[in-house]
């Protein structure tokens, strides 16, 4: 079984930081999630950037539906995994 990477898309840095800090409490995530600024195409203004919270799920125990609902609480969503 290969590692699974979950990517939560959040509207701003504050939301991404809150989500990242809540992951351990809500889902028992032990590895620090990675925060990535995702500038929208053609936008230079930091206000127009989405933030990604990248979670490595080596044991594939995280429920994507629950992660999506959690991200929705912060006006975000779970990015669909690429088709294999």
């Amino acid at each position: 079984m290969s590692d699974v990477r979950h990517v939560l898309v959040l509207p701003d840095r504050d939301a991404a930081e809150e989500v990242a800090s809540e992951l351990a409490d809500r889902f028992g995530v032990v590895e620090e999630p990675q925060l990535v600024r995702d500038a929208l195409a053609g936008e230079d203004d930091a206000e127009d950037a989405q933030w990604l919270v990248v979670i490595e799920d080596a044991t594939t125990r995280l429920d994507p539906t629950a992660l999506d609902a959690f991200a929705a609480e912060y006006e975000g969503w779970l990015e669909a995994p690429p088709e294999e």
Side-chain angles (χ1 to χ4, degrees):
M1 190 171 285
S2 64
D3 290 1
V4 173
R5 175 178 288 158
H6 302 285
V7 179
L8 303 179
V9 182
L10 285 303
D12 56 46
R13 183 180 188 135
D14 289 342
E17 288 175 345
E18 280 189 54
V19 164
S21 67
E22 283 281 318
L23 283 167
D25 293 337
R26 297 269 292 258
F27 295 96
V29 172
V30 290
E31 189 173 320
E32 187 74 25
Q34 181 182 1
L35 297 181
V36 180
R37 181 179 177 271
D38 185 31
L40 301 176
E43 296 293 338
D44 293 328
D45 187 354
E47 297 302 313
D48 292 325
Q50 294 174 322
W51 282 77
L52 309 179
V53 177
V54 181
I55 309 155
E56 299 295 335
D57 185 13
T59 59
T60 61
R61 63 176 187 77
L62 296 173
D63 177 10
T65 304
L67 287 172
D68 189 48
F70 175 56
E73 294 175 25
Y74 294 88
E75 299 180 15
W77 65 88
L78 174 66
E79 188 71 23
E83 295 295 322
E84 293 190 20

